[in-house]
Amino acid sequence: MPTRRTGGTQVRPATEGWSQQKDAAGRPLLRFSAPKRGMPPEHLADLAVEERAARVTALGLPAFRAKQVAAHYFARYSSDPATMTDLPAAGRDELVATLLPPLLTPVRRLEADRGDTVKTLWRLHDGALVESVLMRYPGRVTLCISSQAGCGMNCPFCATGQAGLTRNLSTAEIVDQIVRANGDLAAARAPGAAPERVNNIVFMGMGEPLANYARVLRAIRTMLAPAPHGLGMSARGITVSSVGLVPAIRKLAAEALPVTFALSLHAPDDELRDELIPVNSRWKVDETLDAARAYFDATGRRVSIEYALIRDMNDHAWRADLLGEKLTARGRGWVHVNPIPLNPTPGSIWTASTPAAQREFVRRLEAHGIPTTIRDTRGSDIDGACGQLAAADA
Ligand code: SAH
């Protein structure tokens, strides 16, 4: 492997307008475990089917009531006892309060693309804030969801990392983002129009999903569970995106769930990636790419490489070649690259690559035989695009 290549101006990552939290050794602080904070009340979507039945029998009701409540929640997106007329009035409010406590309170809704992109800011029971972004495309509805309030990965170009990690989301707080979006779609449905629901999930909102592994996995299993026990979604429509926590990537590969894995690589060389993605101090580019390739081997799902194109920082032609070489060295047909022109974050001096640099980057990767598609960045005008979710209540 070449140690160092050159060509073009090299801007070094530096933060502007805010300073990155540092650890005792002076390196960017990484938080793999969340601060201990009160988790929300237990909710139906946190529980396995048998546990739901147990909660209901503990209230002195027949176990099958759990299935009825689940159908209201997962299929009709309702948490309102007044709509649940198939449940006996006696004990209904208590049953619903036990299984469906309110988790997400909408604070603000911002729309772009004539309503086809909607960002919602949610307040959680303890005041923590998270965002999710709904994107409607012809024949497809994608929801970008959060897995943590804040993020502990401290990437200097991402707005979410700047405030640090508040806490992990519970399984139900993750699932409820989808149920609420489905409820909004159903409520907004025009007379005579076909029903719409979220069929694509990307864990590209706030947080590092693999740092909240167990709850994220449970949430995915609930998305996949057939109605009335879950959302009956297809694993092929779910993408988990990560900075590259190698042991967790390997664990996810072993779950035998055909979800798509996306790796936020952003630089093919350790020298630059050490600065752009602080977790690179733990797991280097090569071992991270090995884990991504192993993910493909275990699941047969083509891996996505995310690459935010930042002007004069990581967009050099030689880096496209180095990336192409490192990917093809691990075989063909297992990976594709999604360059994302950088979305500016508040106070940032960094800018997106020029269109010419973007085209050259794509051309070089394609010359290596790597399928490459520039990601369209929906919602940048409402700070709803990749890396812009800061959940400020302003
Ligand atoms: N923590 C996960 C998921 C959240 S971020 C991860 O890092 O993959 C979703 C994607 O947006 C990641 O690829 C992230 O690197 C990218 N991103 C962050 N800030 C960005 C910005 N300012 N412009 C474009 N993409 C950005």
Side-chain angles (χ1 to χ4, degrees):
M1 273 297 151
T3 50
R4 181 165 195 156
R5 311 228 197 145
T6 50
T9 315
Q10 177 67 61
V11 171
R12 300 242 62 100
T15 60
E16 170 100 332
W18 65 286
S19 46
Q20 229 178 355
Q21 280 181 281
K22 297 284 164 58
D23 64 15
R27 287 193 301 223
L29 181 71
L30 289 168
R31 292 201 71 138
F32 293 99
S33 53
K36 289 276 166 282
R37 261 180 84 129
M39 290 301 271
E42 182 183 88
H43 182 282
L44 176 93
D46 290 310
L47 301 172
V49 172
E50 321 76 69
E51 295 170 317
R52 297 171 190 172
R55 296 302 180 276
V56 172
T57 50
L59 293 173
L61 297 169
F64 69 87
R65 297 287 180 215
K67 191 168 161 185
Q68 287 177 290
V69 175
H72 283 290
Y73 180 69
F74 289 116
R76 293 185 274 282
Y77 323 125
S78 176
S79 298
D80 176 5
T83 65
M84 305 182 188
T85 49
D86 57 336
L87 296 172
R92 191 199 294 171
D93 287 356
E94 190 193 6
L95 173 64
V96 174
T98 303
L99 288 182
L100 303 176
L103 298 175
L104 307 181
T105 307
V107 177
R108 196 155 31 96
R109 244 176 89 91
L110 289 174
E111 292 192 0
D113 308 313
R114 283 181 248 69
D116 283 343
T117 303
V118 183
K119 179 171 86 164
T120 309
L121 172 68
W122 303 102
R123 177 173 285 114
L124 310 180
H125 83 109
D126 57 351
L129 298 168
V130 296
E131 292 179 320
S132 49
V133 184
L134 184 78
M135 290 161 279
R136 295 164 77 225
Y137 300 90
R140 177 162 64 96
V141 182
T142 299
L143 187 69
C144 177
I145 59 174
S146 295
S147 56
Q148 299 181 311
C151 186
M153 297 296 114
N154 217 342
C155 302
F157 56 96
C158 177
T160 307
Q162 298 187 9
L165 176 61
T166 303
R167 70 164 166 87
N168 284 320
L169 298 194
S170 70
T171 293
E173 285 171 326
I174 297 169
V175 171
D176 202 41
Q177 295 170 60
I178 309 169
V179 172
R180 301 295 289 270
N182 282 338
D184 287 347
L185 288 168
R189 180 178 162 199
E196 271 186 306
R197 61 177 218 141
V198 173
N199 47 27
N200 235 321
I201 294 294
V202 292
F203 277 93
M204 296 187 189
M206 304 178 77
E208 167 51 45
L210 296 187
N212 187 14
Y213 189 91
R215 294 180 193 85
V216 164
L217 250 284
R218 250 182 182 239
I220 292 173
R221 294 193 190 283
T222 303
M223 294 172 206
L224 302 181
H229 300 302
L231 285 164
M233 300 181 70
S234 157
R236 293 173 193 283
I238 299 173
T239 299
V240 175
S241 177
S242 172
V243 287
L245 309 186
V246 166
I249 299 170
R250 295 192 176 274
K251 199 166 157 193
L252 184 66
E255 305 278 355
L257 288 172
V259 299
T260 299
F261 177 66
L263 173 66
S264 295
L265 190 69
H266 304 307
D269 53 309
D270 287 319
E271 191 183 346
L272 179 59
R273 197 170 191 266
D274 280 343
E275 296 181 62
L276 276 180
I277 308 288
V279 84
N280 205 66
S281 61
R282 300 287 180 96
W283 299 286
K284 296 296 174 192
V285 170
D286 284 318
E287 59 181 317
T288 308
L289 289 176
D290 288 344
R293 167 71 213 202
Y295 188 86
F296 170 79
D297 291 334
T299 62
R301 299 290 296 157
R302 201 165 69 156
V303 170
S304 298
I305 301 286
E306 290 159 282
Y307 201 106
L309 284 171
I310 312 174
R311 185 172 178 172
D312 293 335
M313 196 169 305
N314 65 353
D315 64 352
H316 309 87
W318 70 263
R319 283 202 162 93
D321 287 335
L322 182 58
L323 177 58
E325 285 162 20
K326 288 199 171 192
L327 297 179
T328 52
R330 290 169 172 83
R332 299 210 170 250
W334 68 279
V335 69
H336 65 125
V337 176
N338 266 166
I340 317 161
L342 182 84
N343 296 303
T345 56
S348 159
I349 48 163
W350 307 11
T351 49
S353 305
T354 63
Q358 293 180 27
R359 279 194 299 275
E360 181 62 9
F361 203 87
V362 172
R363 194 190 68 74
R364 297 259 179 155
L365 282 168
E366 285 175 342
H368 287 271
I370 305 291
T372 305
T373 341
I374 299 241
R375 165 100 56 80
D376 87 309
T377 55
R378 279 266 196 122
S380 53
D381 38 350
I382 52 171
D383 283 347
C386 299
Q388 294 187 315
L389 303 184
D393 186 8

